[in-house]
Amino acid sequence: MSDAADKLDAYWMPFTANRDFKKKPRVIKGAAGHYYTTDDGRKLYDMFSGLWTSGIGHCHPTIVAAVQKQVAELDYCMGFQVTNDKALELADRVVNMAPDGISHCFFTNSGSESVDTALKIALGYHRARGEGHRTRLIGRERGYHGVNFGGMSVGGMVPNRKAFSANLIPGVDHIRHTLDLEHNAFSRGLPQWGAHLADDLERLCGLHDGSNIAAVIVEPAAGSTGVLPPPVGYLERLREICDKHGILLIFDEVIAAFGRLARPFGAQRFGVTPDIITTAKGLTNGVIPMGAVLVSDSIYDAFMQGPENMIELFHGYTYSGHPVAAAAGLATMRVYEEEGTFAQSAALEQHFEDLLHSFADHKHVIDVRNIGLMGAIEMAPRNGAPGARGGEAHKKCFWDENIVIRNGMDILQFSPFLNSKPDEMQQSFEALRRVLDSID
Ligand code: PXG
Ligand code: PLP
């Protein structure tokens, strides 16, 4: 065992089976481009681009240089009452990529913080306009909106909520999710079936009266739960119902933004503009933690009332707009533009879809789903041991085939680099097939 693995005891790992992991730790020491290096000196191909984070590859030289320069020039300054040049520049750059009408940016340090910030902005907006009775928040089953109390409450991942059930924030409801294997299994891209599921929001408007609902939050294409692309017409329908009842629509684009759907934002891919967009991950290519919440003019303007010497939103993080994170973000945006990352991403979609769907007739597989460069292969659970097949696949990929995949229970997830090489993508799926063939 390596030195690092020897020291594992102190470390309580996030979202990990700690005891199982510590029996045979998987420790990564380095990365370059599309590959990791392990502590035992092996090179692994990363099929998940970090954790949906690192679309342009690891240790991109442009970002590395920008971070090194910034940390020596301005390491930190307060973000309250003063600011730094890089945060200003990044906010401007990001809103210029956003859909028309979305033109203000609030910085956070993660997706979870972006979500909780967005929920607070939605509540504050209604209150500022004299509609303080709009307090209800609506999420969706199987939604993932991070792990803070707000995001966990509007989220719909049962294991994430289970232990905290009595302490979830009050006044939250959920609409149904859109996966139904009987009707939309093995769809390529957006399922044709399921737009009507958006009408579940009408049901909740009937139950609570729409005038009491502040906001609806959904991932435009759900990621973490195992990639659920929106049915054709579904997001348009949600937008219509929100408009009818004066409800804000929040797109949680922590995964979708910055090229995963071949556009700056998923909103642009789907042609549906929300009122608020939450981001993180691809904002800095995962290099420094950072998130951003983008809001419409009308939301920002609603806050900019009252005495000018007063704080309009009592909210912010010590590290909001951190200069080193912002420098990483600016370098990332520069690479997206200079290398044509979103066009690269678009060009890979068909190849990725074909590779994924070549598993459709595999003995374990019960569904394959994809949109843009997000993909999932769902396996049937082994009798009496849900999650075992997925866990075994992950470990065998790591140890036997030198590839990194992610599994959520028996759903294997794929987040290829936005600048993947088609032959490497192909070889990695060939390796995956050997693994799936070898497990019961
Ligand atoms: N919203 C969405 C849509 C996300 O995907 C978050 C919020 C929370 O972001 P932070 O930065 O606080 O983790 C996420 C994060 C997976 C997986 O296996 C995905 C995420 C996190 C953990 C696992 O797909 N996404
Ligand atoms: N807890 C204490 C005692 C603090 O002083 C602060 C910030 O000043 C926080 C929590 C919140 O930390 P952050 O702003 O990094 O989210």
Side-chain angles (χ1 to χ4, degrees):
M1 206 184 281
S2 71
D3 283 358
D6 222 14
K7 297 188 182 85
L8 250 179
D9 199 42
Y11 185 37
W12 187 344
M13 290 177 61
F15 276 123
T16 298
N18 275 258
R19 288 158 302 162
D20 181 69
F21 181 91
K22 287 169 188 182
K23 286 182 205 155
K24 195 176 180 191
R26 302 181 286 283
V27 180
I28 290 163
K29 268 181 82 166
H34 297 165
Y35 292 86
Y36 287 127
T37 324
T38 58
D39 60 347
D40 56 353
R42 290 178 307 127
K43 238 177 109 180
L44 306 181
Y45 182 75
D46 180 6
M47 294 179 82
F48 208 56
S49 48
L51 189 63
W52 309 99
T53 47
S54 318
I56 49 179
H58 297 281
C59 300
H60 192 292
T62 305
I63 308 175
V64 171
V67 168
Q68 286 174 337
K69 182 163 182 288
Q70 183 63 37
V71 79
E73 211 166 274
L74 173 66
D75 56 345
Y76 178 75
C77 77
M78 284 202 290
F80 309 160
Q81 299 175 291
V82 299
T83 192
N84 70 79
D85 57 332
K86 298 301 185 304
L88 289 172
E89 209 182 316
L90 182 61
D92 185 65
R93 181 123 195 192
V94 169
V95 299
N96 278 325
M97 297 160 76
D100 287 348
I102 304 257
S103 42
H104 301 277
C105 169
F106 192 102
F107 286 120
T108 70
N109 308 291
S110 67
S112 296
E113 287 183 0
S114 289
V115 166
D116 277 43
T117 298
L119 299 177
K120 288 173 77 171
I121 288 175
L123 295 171
Y125 162 78
H126 290 301
R127 192 182 160 93
R129 294 169 61 251
E131 288 203 55
H133 54 272
R134 286 192 183 266
T135 56
R136 286 205 160 259
L137 299 169
I138 308 293
R140 186 170 59 193
E141 293 170 351
R142 295 190 69 159
Y144 185 71
H145 302 295
V147 291
N148 292 345
F149 273 97
M152 176 174 61
S153 302
V154 292
M157 304 284 270
V158 179
N160 296 2
R161 295 161 52 92
K162 188 173 163 186
F164 315 104
S165 183
N167 303 86
L168 298 174
I169 64 170
V172 173
D173 262 308
H174 294 76
I175 54 175
R176 292 177 59 191
H177 69 74
T178 60
L179 183 67
D180 184 332
L181 293 188
E182 240 180 69
H183 291 104
N184 55 21
F186 299 107
S187 297
R188 284 175 171 253
L190 305 191
Q192 292 299 323
W193 181 94
H196 65 283
L197 295 169
D199 294 335
D200 209 29
L201 180 56
E202 261 312 346
R203 178 180 65 82
L204 292 178
C205 290
L207 178 66
H208 298 298
D209 200 286
S211 68
N212 289 315
I213 299 176
V216 175
I217 181 166
V218 292
E219 302 160 83
S224 201
T225 188
V227 183
L228 312 186
V232 174
Y234 175 89
L235 295 172
E236 290 87 336
R237 186 84 190 105
L238 272 191
R239 180 71 271 184
E240 269 172 41
I241 300 170
C242 285
D243 286 345
K244 180 173 152 197
H245 294 279
I247 299 168
L248 295 179
L249 180 60
I250 305 171
F251 276 1
D252 185 351
E253 298 217 19
V254 167
I255 289 174
F258 304 116
R260 188 110 331 254
L261 297 176
R263 302 282 193 293
F265 296 93
Q268 292 148 334
R269 167 84 177 225
F270 297 122
V272 174
T273 305
D275 303 288
I276 303 180
I277 300 177
T278 55
T279 70
K281 297 191 191 272
L283 178 60
T284 62
N285 203 42
V287 174
I288 307 274
M290 191 179 214
V293 181
L294 310 182
V295 307
S296 67
D297 294 326
S298 59
I299 292 178
Y300 183 76
D301 292 345
F303 280 92
M304 299 302 132
Q305 309 291 327
E308 287 195 4
N309 64 327
M310 276 304 290
I311 293 170
E312 297 96 358
L313 177 64
F314 281 84
H315 178 72
Y317 303 98
T318 303
Y319 302 121
S320 285
H322 194 289
V324 183
L330 278 171
T332 302
M333 297 307 134
R334 207 157 54 236
V335 174
Y336 289 157
E337 190 179 331
E338 284 169 10
E339 297 186 3
T341 302
F342 304 154
Q344 291 176 323
S345 171
L348 288 162
E349 281 188 13
Q350 191 59 53
H351 185 49
F352 177 56
E353 178 175 285
D354 291 343
L355 287 169
L356 275 176
H357 282 270
S358 72
F359 286 82
D361 54 6
H362 193 278
K363 59 184 173 180
H364 296 316
V365 173
I366 56 172
D367 195 14
V368 178
R369 300 181 286 273
N370 67 289
I371 177 70
L373 293 185
M374 306 169 64
I377 297 177
E378 179 157 357
M379 298 188 293
R382 193 177 289 153
N383 260 348
R389 242 177 216 149
E392 265 176 50
H394 169 86
K395 287 187 206 170
K396 280 202 157 195
C397 283
F398 187 97
W399 293 117
D400 300 347
E401 293 290 349
N402 293 339
I403 53 176
V404 177
I405 65 164
R406 167 123 179 103
N407 71 295
M409 298 299 281
D410 293 304
I411 305 177
L412 309 181
Q413 296 175 39
F414 304 92
S415 165
F417 292 107
L418 307 181
N419 57 5
S420 298
K421 297 192 177 120
D423 58 330
E424 287 182 342
M425 206 191 250
Q426 168 125 12
Q427 285 153 19
S428 63
F429 277 99
E430 283 165 11
L432 175 75
R433 185 177 295 280
R434 288 192 290 275
V435 168
L436 296 199
D437 286 348
S438 74
I439 61 180
D440 292 337

